[in-house]
Amino acid sequence: MTTAQVAGPRPPAAAVRAAARFVAAPDGRGGTALPVLAGEAPFALRRTGRRGPVAHVALVGAMSAPLGGDRLTLTAAVEPGAALRFTTTAATLALPGRTGAPAAYDIRITVGDGATLHWLPEPLISAAGSHLRTTTRVELAPTARLLFREEQVLGRAGEPAGRLTTRLTVHRAGRPLYDQELAYGPGAPGWDGGAVLGGHRAVGQLLAVDPAFGDAPPPVTPPHTAEGAVAATMPLAGPAVVVSAVASDALRLRALLRTAERALTHEGDEGRLRRHPA
């Protein structure tokens, strides 16, 4: 849920209402096409990387966003049999607006039968004074595969965190698989205490869903815990596992999640994600 790049300052103006949408579909030749790739500022979607069985899409920002009061929507569909890797070209920076109103960022994702999606954006940075609520809803078909990473950094260097609320909901075959809402920053009770962040300023998770896991996913060794960072792995009630991590900074957080990502996308090992994007 971290997808809009900051490309430069925005002139004083009313809050932005913007949407983007893209669709990945089999091209009939063993590859994946992008029949729909559309967005309005601050969204600019680009096909990147090599062509082949996996489509690569990157989101490039056209202006500063989200600012307070903005309403942004991103919709993605991976049709049955397609394979997609989604990234962003830079971190999202949530900034305060002129009115103090909160911003909203909604992401809606569907993944069809036999399709694979790797959703790997750069972090969301919650700057001091900002107020952002993000919601991500993922709908998976019974045989869909998903690797989903999200990372939040609470405050830029040397500044306090803004107010940030995030919710990630994943349904598989029409049934709930994962639903988590977290709140950080001013007004969120206990967010910096030992039960939540424990003084850390970067938080993230990696969620993997694969029907090959069966009813009980195989145990996944937690990523190496380094100084200033800690991670935990939890199987879900379904063919899925989630790795959650907190760290003192974004670099340590990414190192932990990348370790888990490499483990979960290594082809040839039983119980790992298959047909993953290269």
Side-chain angles (χ1 to χ4, degrees):
M1 58 185 70
T2 54
T3 49
Q5 179 194 0
V6 175
R10 183 197 306 178
V16 168
R17 305 292 190 270
R21 177 174 178 260
F22 61 94
V23 176
D27 64 5
R29 303 185 300 276
T32 297
L34 296 168
V36 178
L37 195 67
E40 51 192 342
F43 295 113
L45 296 165
R46 300 288 185 266
R47 179 162 191 160
T48 62
R50 65 177 178 81
R51 298 183 180 273
V54 180
H56 293 234
V57 171
L59 190 147
V60 180
M63 64 188 196
S64 301
L67 300 183
D70 289 352
R71 297 292 184 269
L72 307 179
T73 303
L74 178 62
T75 304
V78 186
E79 295 186 353
L84 176 71
R85 180 183 179 93
F86 174 83
T87 59
T88 61
T89 58
T92 302
L93 180 59
L95 294 167
R98 300 174 62 197
T99 65
Y105 194 174
D106 297 318
I107 300 173
R108 298 292 179 262
I109 302 168
T110 58
V111 187
D113 273 314
T116 299
L117 172 63
H118 283 201
W119 189 273
L120 303 169
E122 293 303 306
L124 166 64
I125 302 171
S126 176
S130 66
H131 187 180
L132 173 65
R133 181 178 181 89
T134 71
T135 58
T136 302
R137 184 178 179 92
V138 184
E139 298 285 347
L140 301 174
T143 59
R145 296 177 176 89
L146 173 71
L147 187 71
F148 183 97
R149 184 184 72 211
E150 65 173 4
E151 301 163 305
Q152 293 94 31
V153 179
L154 305 174
R156 293 171 290 190
E159 73 174 14
R163 178 66 186 269
L164 175 64
T165 303
T166 70
R167 183 171 183 179
L168 171 62
T169 304
V170 180
H171 285 76
R172 178 178 179 268
R175 301 182 62 182
L177 176 66
Y178 187 68
D179 191 348
Q180 176 174 271
E181 180 171 293
L182 297 170
Y184 312 104
W191 71 277
D192 203 19
V196 186
L197 293 187
H200 295 89
R201 282 297 179 268
V203 58
Q205 58 187 335
L206 184 76
L207 173 67
V209 183
D210 189 340
F213 290 160
D215 293 333
V220 178
T221 302
H224 174 67
T225 298
E227 181 179 358
V230 63
T233 301
M234 181 178 67
L236 301 179
V241 63
V242 63
V243 178
S244 300
V246 295
S248 57
D249 57 49
L251 291 177
R252 289 182 172 89
L253 178 67
R254 176 62 61 85
L256 284 180
L257 296 181
R258 279 290 291 149
T259 299
E261 180 186 335
R262 285 191 293 266
L264 289 166
T265 57
H266 189 277
E267 285 186 323
D269 288 349
E270 185 177 356
R272 307 296 173 88
L273 286 178
R274 292 165 172 77
R275 296 182 56 203
H276 67 280

